[in-house]
């Protein structure tokens, strides 16, 4: 670590060199610049560099190396583990780099490193094209894709990494490299699930898919019908086409138009059936769910980009999430899931979701480090609350959900869905053999572990 006088002089030079803004502790705007999505994260970086282009990113990384600072990368700032920040680190903040360029002829899109899912979806929609995106529009595209990428389209379009065509990356040496199937193929492989361990993704290119129509059925039920709803949803998905996806979700009734006023603030069970196709086909699929006694429904065609905003979780809340990937969804699993659903902390923003995999996820390329690919179902307890007094009960509930479904767990996990759960869980999210190979790639591109604020892969 550099002396305070050297560090101060270097920051002054960085301010001059960067087109974007630079914040250090004590500067006006520093606290705002270090605020991230999860209110439980309160970290104090040494420097925050709000980069506006690749050259700014390169200068920032070289500055960090000169002062022997680790580097954290902020795209959307949505990581539940607060990976966008590090105490005493340089934060490379990409939020001013948000350009999305669609090539409708090639059916591909180039996304700058700070763009959010909403910006990707909105840019693609006029062309009737889309690619697998996260289930919240505020998610940053870069971290989402490099961590694997699961969403409403993954059963028909594959995981986000299955659609990754290329990455432009600034390495720990401050060099710009390109990774694709032909250039730096080992690095390109590692970026299919290895997250931000290998550098800063200043741009990604993704394959697009035709999506002229999108439809949903979102049906709310009283929680005592949860088991019947969950079994019915499971059977609809199992018999349905890969274009069908969604989730069963236990949730506190929000103050929205589609929730009857007397149920706002009460526990509800919802079935969200998404369909990458026409409303008429969705309606046939949804018939068994609509036949059950329910309190409200939203059914019909809806632009995919709008559906992506339906479950947006607000910033500034306290978050603790986890997940378990499952060998199946037999009735005993449904019973365990619903028992946890009845215990959801109410009233909070907490969600308890069971969602399907299968389809193009399971048939996708198995060589990538995404070991949860073969699991047909997943449980995602998503703790979300406002009052610190609720920390203990909400965190314990998430842990209880995981414990309750252990008999059906494959052991694998999607790392974007979890916080810091230890080294063993990181390996579970990559696969044991993959983790060894990833450590070799890490040694080649980041031998000093400069990029360590992530689900970290230590250099071998």
């Amino acid at each position: 670590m550099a002396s305070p006088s050297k560090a101060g002089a270097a920051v002054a030079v960085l301010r001059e060199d960067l087109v974007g803004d630079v914040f250090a502790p004590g500067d006006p705007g520093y606290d705002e610049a270090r605020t991230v999505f999860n209110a439980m994260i309160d970290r104090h970086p040494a420097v925050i560099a709000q980069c506006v282009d690749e050259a700014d990113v390169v200068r920032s990384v070289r500055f960090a190396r000169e002062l022997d600072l680790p580097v954290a990368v902020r795209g959307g700032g949505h990581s539940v583990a607060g990976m966008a920040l590090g105490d005493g680190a340089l934060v490379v903040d990409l939020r001013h780099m948000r350009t999305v360029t669609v090539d409708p002829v090639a059916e591909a899109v180039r996304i700058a490193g700070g763009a959010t899912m909403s910006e990707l979806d909105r840019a693609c929609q006029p062309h009737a094209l889309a690619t697998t995106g996260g289930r919240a529009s505020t998610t940053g595209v870069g971290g989402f894709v490099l961590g694997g990428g699961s969403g409403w389209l993954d059963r028909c379009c594959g995981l986000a990494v299955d659609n990754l065509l290329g990455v432009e990356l600034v390495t720990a040496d401050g060099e710009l490299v390109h990774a694709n199937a032909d250039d730096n193929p080992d690095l390109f492989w590692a970026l299919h699930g290895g997250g931000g361990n290998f550098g800063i993704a200043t741009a990604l290119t993704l394959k697009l898919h035709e999506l002229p129509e999108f439809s949903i059925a979102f049906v709310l039920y009283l929680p005592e019908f949860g088991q019947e709803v969950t079994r019915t949803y499971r059977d609809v998905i199992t018999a349905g086409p890969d274009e069908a996806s969604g989730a069963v979700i236990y949730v506190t009734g929000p103050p929205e138009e589609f929730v009857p006023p007397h149920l706002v603030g009460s526990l509800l069970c919802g079935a969200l059936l998404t369909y990458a196709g026409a409303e008429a086909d969705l309606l046939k699929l949804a018939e068994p769910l609509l036949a059950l006694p329910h309190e409200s429904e939203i059914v019909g065609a809806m632009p995919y980009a709008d559906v992506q905003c339906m479950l947006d979780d607000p910033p500034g809340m306290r978050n603790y999430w986890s997940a378990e990937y499952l060998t199946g969804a037999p009735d005993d699993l449904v019973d365990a899931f619903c028992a946890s659903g009845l215990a959801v902390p109410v009233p909070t923003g907490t969600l308890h979701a069971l969602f399907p995999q299968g389809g193009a996820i399971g048939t996708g390329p198995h060589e990538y480090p995404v070991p949860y690919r073969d699991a047909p179902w997943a449980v995602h307890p998503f703790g979300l609350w406002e009052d610190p007094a609720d920390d203990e009960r909400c965190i314990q509930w998430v842990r209880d959900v995981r414990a309750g479904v252990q008999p059906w767990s494959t052991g694998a996990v999607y790392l974007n869905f979890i916080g810091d759960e230890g080294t063993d869980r990181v390996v579970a999210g990559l696969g044991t053999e993959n983790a060894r190979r990833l450590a070799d790639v890490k040694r080649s591109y980041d031998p000093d572990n400069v990029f360590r604020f992530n689900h970290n892969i230590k250099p071998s």
Side-chain angles (χ1 to χ4, degrees), residues 208-248:
L208 295 174
H209 302 262
E210 293 182 8
L211 190 69
E213 295 181 274
F214 199 78
S215 312
I216 69 160
F218 186 41
V219 192
L220 289 177
Y221 309 84
L222 295 177
E224 52 262 37
F225 294 104
Q227 287 165 293
E228 191 175 0
V229 170
T230 306
R231 286 194 294 267
T232 302
Y233 174 81
R234 174 199 63 194
D235 295 345
V236 166
I237 289 292
T238 301
D242 293 348
E243 286 78 12
S245 188
V248 176

mmCIF file of all heavy atoms in Angstrom, residues 208-248:
data_model
loop_
_atom_site.group_PDB
_atom_site.id
_atom_site.type_symbol
_atom_site.label_atom_id
_atom_site.label_comp_id
_atom_site.label_asym_id
_atom_site.label_seq_id
_atom_site.Cartn_x
_atom_site.Cartn_y
_atom_site.Cartn_z
ATOM 1 N N LEU A 208 -29.040 -12.867 -30.081
ATOM 2 C CA LEU A 208 -30.447 -12.542 -29.880
ATOM 3 C C LEU A 208 -31.346 -13.605 -30.515
ATOM 4 O O LEU A 208 -30.928 -14.331 -31.419
ATOM 5 C CB LEU A 208 -30.768 -11.172 -30.484
ATOM 6 C CG LEU A 208 -30.076 -9.979 -29.826
ATOM 7 C CD1 LEU A 208 -30.358 -8.709 -30.616
ATOM 8 C CD2 LEU A 208 -30.526 -9.823 -28.380
ATOM 9 N N HIS A 209 -32.577 -13.648 -30.054
ATOM 10 C CA HIS A 209 -33.570 -14.606 -30.544
ATOM 11 C C HIS A 209 -34.837 -13.852 -30.936
ATOM 12 O O HIS A 209 -35.182 -12.834 -30.333
ATOM 13 C CB HIS A 209 -33.908 -15.632 -29.456
ATOM 14 C CG HIS A 209 -32.722 -16.388 -28.953
ATOM 15 N ND1 HIS A 209 -32.400 -17.652 -29.402
ATOM 16 C CD2 HIS A 209 -31.765 -16.053 -28.046
ATOM 17 C CE1 HIS A 209 -31.301 -18.067 -28.789
ATOM 18 N NE2 HIS A 209 -30.900 -17.119 -27.952
ATOM 19 N N GLU A 210 -35.528 -14.372 -31.930
ATOM 20 C CA GLU A 210 -36.787 -13.739 -32.335
ATOM 21 C C GLU A 210 -37.824 -13.906 -31.229
ATOM 22 O O GLU A 210 -38.016 -14.990 -30.685
ATOM 23 C CB GLU A 210 -37.291 -14.376 -33.638
ATOM 24 C CG GLU A 210 -36.388 -14.078 -34.828
ATOM 25 C CD GLU A 210 -36.910 -14.668 -36.123
ATOM 26 O OE1 GLU A 210 -38.056 -15.176 -36.117
ATOM 27 O OE2 GLU A 210 -36.177 -14.628 -37.122
ATOM 28 N N LEU A 211 -38.483 -12.809 -30.879
ATOM 29 C CA LEU A 211 -39.512 -12.835 -29.843
ATOM 30 C C LEU A 211 -40.616 -11.847 -30.231
ATOM 31 O O LEU A 211 -40.756 -10.776 -29.637
ATOM 32 C CB LEU A 211 -38.924 -12.475 -28.474
ATOM 33 C CG LEU A 211 -39.858 -12.712 -27.280
ATOM 34 C CD1 LEU A 211 -40.092 -14.205 -27.058
ATOM 35 C CD2 LEU A 211 -39.303 -12.068 -26.019
ATOM 36 N N PRO A 212 -41.411 -12.204 -31.239
ATOM 37 C CA PRO A 212 -42.450 -11.271 -31.700
ATOM 38 C C PRO A 212 -43.583 -11.092 -30.700
ATOM 39 O O PRO A 212 -44.244 -10.046 -30.691
ATOM 40 C CB PRO A 212 -42.959 -11.915 -32.987
ATOM 41 C CG PRO A 212 -42.586 -13.353 -32.886
ATOM 42 C CD PRO A 212 -41.326 -13.415 -32.078
ATOM 43 N N GLU A 213 -43.826 -12.105 -29.847
ATOM 44 C CA GLU A 213 -44.919 -12.008 -28.879
ATOM 45 C C GLU A 213 -44.481 -12.592 -27.552
ATOM 46 O O GLU A 213 -43.651 -13.508 -27.482
ATOM 47 C CB GLU A 213 -46.138 -12.779 -29.382
ATOM 48 C CG GLU A 213 -46.767 -12.231 -30.649
ATOM 49 C CD GLU A 213 -47.978 -13.042 -31.070
ATOM 50 O OE1 GLU A 213 -47.781 -14.053 -31.775
ATOM 51 O OE2 GLU A 213 -49.096 -12.686 -30.666
ATOM 52 N N PHE A 214 -45.067 -12.054 -26.480
ATOM 53 C CA PHE A 214 -44.804 -12.575 -25.141
ATOM 54 C C PHE A 214 -46.087 -12.439 -24.334
ATOM 55 O O PHE A 214 -46.819 -11.450 -24.481
ATOM 56 C CB PHE A 214 -43.669 -11.807 -24.461
ATOM 57 C CG PHE A 214 -43.042 -12.544 -23.307
ATOM 58 C CD1 PHE A 214 -42.145 -13.569 -23.535
ATOM 59 C CD2 PHE A 214 -43.348 -12.210 -21.992
ATOM 60 C CE1 PHE A 214 -41.562 -14.267 -22.479
ATOM 61 C CE2 PHE A 214 -42.780 -12.889 -20.941
ATOM 62 C CZ PHE A 214 -41.880 -13.922 -21.178
ATOM 63 N N SER A 215 -46.401 -13.426 -23.509
ATOM 64 C CA SER A 215 -47.661 -13.435 -22.780
ATOM 65 C C SER A 215 -47.429 -13.946 -21.363
ATOM 66 O O SER A 215 -46.492 -14.715 -21.113
ATOM 67 C CB SER A 215 -48.686 -14.342 -23.472
ATOM 68 O OG SER A 215 -48.762 -14.086 -24.852
ATOM 69 N N ILE A 216 -48.318 -13.548 -20.449
ATOM 70 C CA ILE A 216 -48.202 -14.030 -19.080
ATOM 71 C C ILE A 216 -49.584 -14.312 -18.475
ATOM 72 O O ILE A 216 -50.591 -13.740 -18.904
ATOM 73 C CB ILE A 216 -47.474 -13.029 -18.156
ATOM 74 C CG1 ILE A 216 -48.334 -11.772 -17.924
ATOM 75 C CG2 ILE A 216 -46.108 -12.681 -18.679
ATOM 76 C CD1 ILE A 216 -47.936 -10.988 -16.691
ATOM 77 N N ALA A 217 -49.589 -15.184 -17.500
ATOM 78 C CA ALA A 217 -50.714 -15.330 -16.579
ATOM 79 C C ALA A 217 -50.130 -15.231 -15.182
ATOM 80 O O ALA A 217 -49.252 -16.027 -14.815
ATOM 81 C CB ALA A 217 -51.417 -16.667 -16.784
ATOM 82 N N PHE A 218 -50.581 -14.231 -14.430
ATOM 83 C CA PHE A 218 -50.141 -14.071 -13.050
ATOM 84 C C PHE A 218 -51.383 -14.160 -12.174
ATOM 85 O O PHE A 218 -52.268 -13.303 -12.239
ATOM 86 C CB PHE A 218 -49.423 -12.729 -12.852
ATOM 87 C CG PHE A 218 -48.811 -12.563 -11.489
ATOM 88 C CD1 PHE A 218 -48.157 -13.610 -10.867
ATOM 89 C CD2 PHE A 218 -48.872 -11.343 -10.829
ATOM 90 C CE1 PHE A 218 -47.579 -13.468 -9.619
ATOM 91 C CE2 PHE A 218 -48.295 -11.173 -9.574
ATOM 92 C CZ PHE A 218 -47.652 -12.241 -8.966
ATOM 93 N N VAL A 219 -51.469 -15.230 -11.396
ATOM 94 C CA VAL A 219 -52.678 -15.549 -10.648
ATOM 95 C C VAL A 219 -52.341 -15.588 -9.157
ATOM 96 O O VAL A 219 -51.369 -16.240 -8.757
ATOM 97 C CB VAL A 219 -53.270 -16.904 -11.093
ATOM 98 C CG1 VAL A 219 -54.667 -17.087 -10.522
ATOM 99 C CG2 VAL A 219 -53.296 -17.024 -12.614
ATOM 100 N N LEU A 220 -53.144 -14.881 -8.339
ATOM 101 C CA LEU A 220 -52.912 -14.830 -6.903
ATOM 102 C C LEU A 220 -53.948 -15.669 -6.160
ATOM 103 O O LEU A 220 -55.152 -15.602 -6.451
ATOM 104 C CB LEU A 220 -52.984 -13.378 -6.407
ATOM 105 C CG LEU A 220 -51.824 -12.472 -6.812
ATOM 106 C CD1 LEU A 220 -52.075 -11.057 -6.320
ATOM 107 C CD2 LEU A 220 -50.495 -12.995 -6.263
ATOM 108 N N TYR A 221 -53.456 -16.418 -5.193
ATOM 109 C CA TYR A 221 -54.288 -17.334 -4.416
ATOM 110 C C TYR A 221 -54.068 -17.088 -2.921
ATOM 111 O O TYR A 221 -53.016 -16.584 -2.504
ATOM 112 C CB TYR A 221 -53.904 -18.792 -4.699
ATOM 113 C CG TYR A 221 -53.838 -19.176 -6.151
ATOM 114 C CD1 TYR A 221 -52.689 -18.925 -6.905
ATOM 115 C CD2 TYR A 221 -54.906 -19.818 -6.783
ATOM 116 C CE1 TYR A 221 -52.608 -19.293 -8.242
ATOM 117 C CE2 TYR A 221 -54.826 -20.196 -8.119
ATOM 118 C CZ TYR A 221 -53.675 -19.922 -8.841
ATOM 119 O OH TYR A 221 -53.597 -20.287 -10.158
ATOM 120 N N LEU A 222 -55.022 -17.491 -2.121
ATOM 121 C CA LEU A 222 -54.794 -17.528 -0.683
ATOM 122 C C LEU A 222 -53.758 -18.612 -0.376
ATOM 123 O O LEU A 222 -53.696 -19.639 -1.066
ATOM 124 C CB LEU A 222 -56.104 -17.820 0.049
ATOM 125 C CG LEU A 222 -57.188 -16.734 -0.074
ATOM 126 C CD1 LEU A 222 -58.464 -17.182 0.626
ATOM 127 C CD2 LEU A 222 -56.706 -15.395 0.473
ATOM 128 N N PRO A 223 -52.936 -18.396 0.632
ATOM 129 C CA PRO A 223 -51.795 -19.312 0.847
ATOM 130 C C PRO A 223 -52.201 -20.743 1.174
ATOM 131 O O PRO A 223 -51.430 -21.668 0.923
ATOM 132 C CB PRO A 223 -51.039 -18.659 2.014
ATOM 133 C CG PRO A 223 -52.003 -17.710 2.647
ATOM 134 C CD PRO A 223 -52.927 -17.261 1.566
ATOM 135 N N GLU A 224 -53.417 -20.938 1.700
ATOM 136 C CA GLU A 224 -53.811 -22.317 2.023
ATOM 137 C C GLU A 224 -53.986 -23.183 0.774
ATOM 138 O O GLU A 224 -54.045 -24.411 0.869
ATOM 139 C CB GLU A 224 -55.096 -22.337 2.853
ATOM 140 C CG GLU A 224 -56.244 -21.560 2.268
ATOM 141 C CD GLU A 224 -56.390 -20.160 2.866
ATOM 142 O OE1 GLU A 224 -55.343 -19.523 3.140
ATOM 143 O OE2 GLU A 224 -57.530 -19.724 3.058
ATOM 144 N N PHE A 225 -54.061 -22.557 -0.391
ATOM 145 C CA PHE A 225 -54.150 -23.321 -1.637
ATOM 146 C C PHE A 225 -52.765 -23.591 -2.250
ATOM 147 O O PHE A 225 -52.654 -24.104 -3.359
ATOM 148 C CB PHE A 225 -55.015 -22.581 -2.661
ATOM 149 C CG PHE A 225 -56.462 -22.459 -2.259
ATOM 150 C CD1 PHE A 225 -56.963 -21.257 -1.795
ATOM 151 C CD2 PHE A 225 -57.314 -23.553 -2.346
ATOM 152 C CE1 PHE A 225 -58.298 -21.136 -1.421
ATOM 153 C CE2 PHE A 225 -58.644 -23.451 -1.977
ATOM 154 C CZ PHE A 225 -59.140 -22.237 -1.499
ATOM 155 N N GLY A 226 -51.697 -23.239 -1.507
ATOM 156 C CA GLY A 226 -50.347 -23.279 -2.071
ATOM 157 C C GLY A 226 -49.930 -24.623 -2.627
ATOM 158 O O GLY A 226 -49.334 -24.704 -3.713
ATOM 159 N N GLN A 227 -50.233 -25.704 -1.910
ATOM 160 C CA GLN A 227 -49.798 -27.020 -2.388
ATOM 161 C C GLN A 227 -50.475 -27.390 -3.707
ATOM 162 O O GLN A 227 -49.826 -27.886 -4.636
ATOM 163 C CB GLN A 227 -50.081 -28.076 -1.319
ATOM 164 C CG GLN A 227 -49.123 -27.980 -0.141
ATOM 165 C CD GLN A 227 -49.624 -28.755 1.050
ATOM 166 O OE1 GLN A 227 -50.641 -28.406 1.651
ATOM 167 N NE2 GLN A 227 -48.921 -29.813 1.410
ATOM 168 N N GLU A 228 -51.784 -27.128 -3.785
ATOM 169 C CA GLU A 228 -52.501 -27.444 -5.022
ATOM 170 C C GLU A 228 -52.004 -26.568 -6.169
ATOM 171 O O GLU A 228 -51.831 -27.042 -7.299
ATOM 172 C CB GLU A 228 -54.007 -27.254 -4.806
ATOM 173 C CG GLU A 228 -54.854 -27.796 -5.945
ATOM 174 C CD GLU A 228 -56.343 -27.710 -5.673
ATOM 175 O OE1 GLU A 228 -56.740 -27.227 -4.592
ATOM 176 O OE2 GLU A 228 -57.109 -28.132 -6.555
ATOM 177 N N VAL A 229 -51.760 -25.301 -5.883
ATOM 178 C CA VAL A 229 -51.239 -24.378 -6.904
ATOM 179 C C VAL A 229 -49.880 -24.850 -7.391
ATOM 180 O O VAL A 229 -49.617 -24.918 -8.604
ATOM 181 C CB VAL A 229 -51.133 -22.950 -6.323
ATOM 182 C CG1 VAL A 229 -50.365 -22.038 -7.288
ATOM 183 C CG2 VAL A 229 -52.517 -22.379 -6.040
ATOM 184 N N THR A 230 -49.005 -25.198 -6.461
ATOM 185 C CA THR A 230 -47.638 -25.589 -6.831
ATOM 186 C C THR A 230 -47.636 -26.884 -7.631
ATOM 187 O O THR A 230 -46.931 -27.003 -8.646
ATOM 188 C CB THR A 230 -46.765 -25.732 -5.572
ATOM 189 O OG1 THR A 230 -46.828 -24.516 -4.812
ATOM 190 C CG2 THR A 230 -45.320 -26.008 -5.946
ATOM 191 N N ARG A 231 -48.425 -27.860 -7.226
ATOM 192 C CA ARG A 231 -48.492 -29.113 -7.984
ATOM 193 C C ARG A 231 -49.070 -28.875 -9.378
ATOM 194 O O ARG A 231 -48.591 -29.439 -10.367
ATOM 195 C CB ARG A 231 -49.334 -30.147 -7.223
ATOM 196 C CG ARG A 231 -48.650 -30.745 -6.008
ATOM 197 C CD ARG A 231 -49.373 -31.982 -5.515
ATOM 198 N NE ARG A 231 -50.707 -31.675 -5.004
ATOM 199 C CZ ARG A 231 -50.990 -31.412 -3.735
ATOM 200 N NH1 ARG A 231 -50.027 -31.407 -2.832
ATOM 201 N NH2 ARG A 231 -52.236 -31.151 -3.362
ATOM 202 N N THR A 232 -50.096 -28.038 -9.452
ATOM 203 C CA THR A 232 -50.705 -27.745 -10.755
ATOM 204 C C THR A 232 -49.716 -27.035 -11.661
ATOM 205 O O THR A 232 -49.570 -27.375 -12.854
ATOM 206 C CB THR A 232 -51.974 -26.882 -10.572
ATOM 207 O OG1 THR A 232 -52.888 -27.581 -9.722
ATOM 208 C CG2 THR A 232 -52.631 -26.591 -11.910
ATOM 209 N N TYR A 233 -49.015 -26.045 -11.121
ATOM 210 C CA TYR A 233 -48.005 -25.323 -11.907
ATOM 211 C C TYR A 233 -46.915 -26.282 -12.387
ATOM 212 O O TYR A 233 -46.515 -26.260 -13.562
ATOM 213 C CB TYR A 233 -47.398 -24.193 -11.075
ATOM 214 C CG TYR A 233 -46.257 -23.495 -11.773
ATOM 215 C CD1 TYR A 233 -46.496 -22.521 -12.731
ATOM 216 C CD2 TYR A 233 -44.941 -23.864 -11.516
ATOM 217 C CE1 TYR A 233 -45.449 -21.916 -13.405
ATOM 218 C CE2 TYR A 233 -43.896 -23.263 -12.179
ATOM 219 C CZ TYR A 233 -44.153 -22.289 -13.120
ATOM 220 O OH TYR A 233 -43.101 -21.705 -13.795
ATOM 221 N N ARG A 234 -46.445 -27.128 -11.482
ATOM 222 C CA ARG A 234 -45.425 -28.130 -11.855
ATOM 223 C C ARG A 234 -45.900 -28.976 -13.023
ATOM 224 O O ARG A 234 -45.151 -29.206 -13.993
ATOM 225 C CB ARG A 234 -45.137 -29.017 -10.641
ATOM 226 C CG ARG A 234 -44.204 -30.190 -10.909
ATOM 227 C CD ARG A 234 -44.352 -31.241 -9.823
ATOM 228 N NE ARG A 234 -45.698 -31.831 -9.783
ATOM 229 C CZ ARG A 234 -46.165 -32.560 -8.776
ATOM 230 N NH1 ARG A 234 -45.410 -32.793 -7.705
ATOM 231 N NH2 ARG A 234 -47.391 -33.072 -8.833
ATOM 232 N N ASP A 235 -47.143 -29.433 -12.971
ATOM 233 C CA ASP A 235 -47.667 -30.319 -14.013
ATOM 234 C C ASP A 235 -47.848 -29.566 -15.335
ATOM 235 O O ASP A 235 -47.611 -30.132 -16.416
ATOM 236 C CB ASP A 235 -48.987 -30.932 -13.569
ATOM 237 C CG ASP A 235 -48.819 -31.858 -12.363
ATOM 238 O OD1 ASP A 235 -47.668 -32.242 -12.063
ATOM 239 O OD2 ASP A 235 -49.841 -32.172 -11.713
ATOM 240 N N VAL A 236 -48.249 -28.302 -15.249
ATOM 241 C CA VAL A 236 -48.387 -27.478 -16.461
ATOM 242 C C VAL A 236 -47.031 -27.331 -17.155
ATOM 243 O O VAL A 236 -46.911 -27.498 -18.376
ATOM 244 C CB VAL A 236 -48.972 -26.091 -16.113
ATOM 245 C CG1 VAL A 236 -48.792 -25.110 -17.280
ATOM 246 C CG2 VAL A 236 -50.450 -26.208 -15.748
ATOM 247 N N ILE A 237 -46.012 -27.024 -16.373
ATOM 248 C CA ILE A 237 -44.673 -26.839 -16.942
ATOM 249 C C ILE A 237 -44.128 -28.161 -17.487
ATOM 250 O O ILE A 237 -43.555 -28.213 -18.582
ATOM 251 C CB ILE A 237 -43.713 -26.261 -15.884
ATOM 252 C CG1 ILE A 237 -44.058 -24.793 -15.594
ATOM 253 C CG2 ILE A 237 -42.258 -26.385 -16.333
ATOM 254 C CD1 ILE A 237 -43.786 -23.830 -16.733
ATOM 255 N N THR A 238 -44.309 -29.229 -16.736
ATOM 256 C CA THR A 238 -43.764 -30.528 -17.143
ATOM 257 C C THR A 238 -44.354 -30.983 -18.478
ATOM 258 O O THR A 238 -43.645 -31.539 -19.336
ATOM 259 C CB THR A 238 -44.038 -31.584 -16.058
ATOM 260 O OG1 THR A 238 -43.432 -31.155 -14.828
ATOM 261 C CG2 THR A 238 -43.466 -32.930 -16.455
ATOM 262 N N ALA A 239 -45.640 -30.725 -18.683
ATOM 263 C CA ALA A 239 -46.305 -31.140 -19.920
ATOM 264 C C ALA A 239 -46.193 -30.095 -21.021
ATOM 265 O O ALA A 239 -46.476 -30.395 -22.185
ATOM 266 C CB ALA A 239 -47.783 -31.422 -19.642
ATOM 267 N N GLY A 240 -45.787 -28.885 -20.673
ATOM 268 C CA GLY A 240 -45.792 -27.776 -21.624
ATOM 269 C C GLY A 240 -44.523 -27.663 -22.440
ATOM 270 O O GLY A 240 -43.555 -28.403 -22.240
ATOM 271 N N PRO A 241 -44.497 -26.707 -23.364
ATOM 272 C CA PRO A 241 -43.339 -26.504 -24.237
ATOM 273 C C PRO A 241 -42.238 -25.707 -23.533
ATOM 274 O O PRO A 241 -42.469 -25.116 -22.461
ATOM 275 C CB PRO A 241 -43.929 -25.698 -25.397
ATOM 276 C CG PRO A 241 -45.022 -24.892 -24.759
ATOM 277 C CD PRO A 241 -45.609 -25.778 -23.685
ATOM 278 N N ASP A 242 -41.063 -25.682 -24.148
ATOM 279 C CA ASP A 242 -39.941 -24.948 -23.560
ATOM 280 C C ASP A 242 -40.190 -23.444 -23.512
ATOM 281 O O ASP A 242 -39.523 -22.731 -22.759
ATOM 282 C CB ASP A 242 -38.660 -25.210 -24.366
ATOM 283 C CG ASP A 242 -38.193 -26.649 -24.257
ATOM 284 O OD1 ASP A 242 -38.719 -27.386 -23.388
ATOM 285 O OD2 ASP A 242 -37.322 -27.057 -25.055
ATOM 286 N N GLU A 243 -41.140 -22.960 -24.291
ATOM 287 C CA GLU A 243 -41.455 -21.532 -24.270
ATOM 288 C C GLU A 243 -42.123 -21.108 -22.960
ATOM 289 O O GLU A 243 -42.220 -19.920 -22.651
ATOM 290 C CB GLU A 243 -42.385 -21.177 -25.439
ATOM 291 C CG GLU A 243 -41.708 -21.156 -26.795
ATOM 292 C CD GLU A 243 -41.478 -22.552 -27.373
ATOM 293 O OE1 GLU A 243 -42.047 -23.540 -26.836
ATOM 294 O OE2 GLU A 243 -40.724 -22.665 -28.366
ATOM 295 N N ALA A 244 -42.607 -22.075 -22.189
ATOM 296 C CA ALA A 244 -43.277 -21.789 -20.921
ATOM 297 C C ALA A 244 -42.265 -21.764 -19.782
ATOM 298 O O ALA A 244 -41.386 -22.613 -19.697
ATOM 299 C CB ALA A 244 -44.350 -22.833 -20.640
ATOM 300 N N SER A 245 -42.422 -20.769 -18.908
ATOM 301 C CA SER A 245 -41.552 -20.678 -17.736
ATOM 302 C C SER A 245 -42.323 -19.951 -16.638
ATOM 303 O O SER A 245 -43.541 -20.012 -16.586
ATOM 304 C CB SER A 245 -40.242 -19.956 -18.089
ATOM 305 O OG SER A 245 -39.333 -20.037 -17.018
ATOM 306 N N GLY A 246 -41.609 -19.276 -15.741
ATOM 307 C CA GLY A 246 -42.255 -18.555 -14.660
ATOM 308 C C GLY A 246 -41.834 -19.071 -13.311
ATOM 309 O O GLY A 246 -40.703 -19.542 -13.127
ATOM 310 N N ALA A 247 -42.760 -19.037 -12.328
ATOM 311 C CA ALA A 247 -42.435 -19.463 -10.973
ATOM 312 C C ALA A 247 -43.701 -19.508 -10.132
ATOM 313 O O ALA A 247 -44.691 -18.829 -10.436
ATOM 314 C CB ALA A 247 -41.435 -18.496 -10.331
ATOM 315 N N VAL A 248 -43.655 -20.297 -9.081
ATOM 316 C CA VAL A 248 -44.613 -20.162 -7.983
ATOM 317 C C VAL A 248 -43.939 -19.295 -6.931
ATOM 318 O O VAL A 248 -42.765 -19.522 -6.585
ATOM 319 C CB VAL A 248 -44.998 -21.523 -7.385
ATOM 320 C CG1 VAL A 248 -45.919 -21.326 -6.173
ATOM 321 C CG2 VAL A 248 -45.671 -22.393 -8.425
#
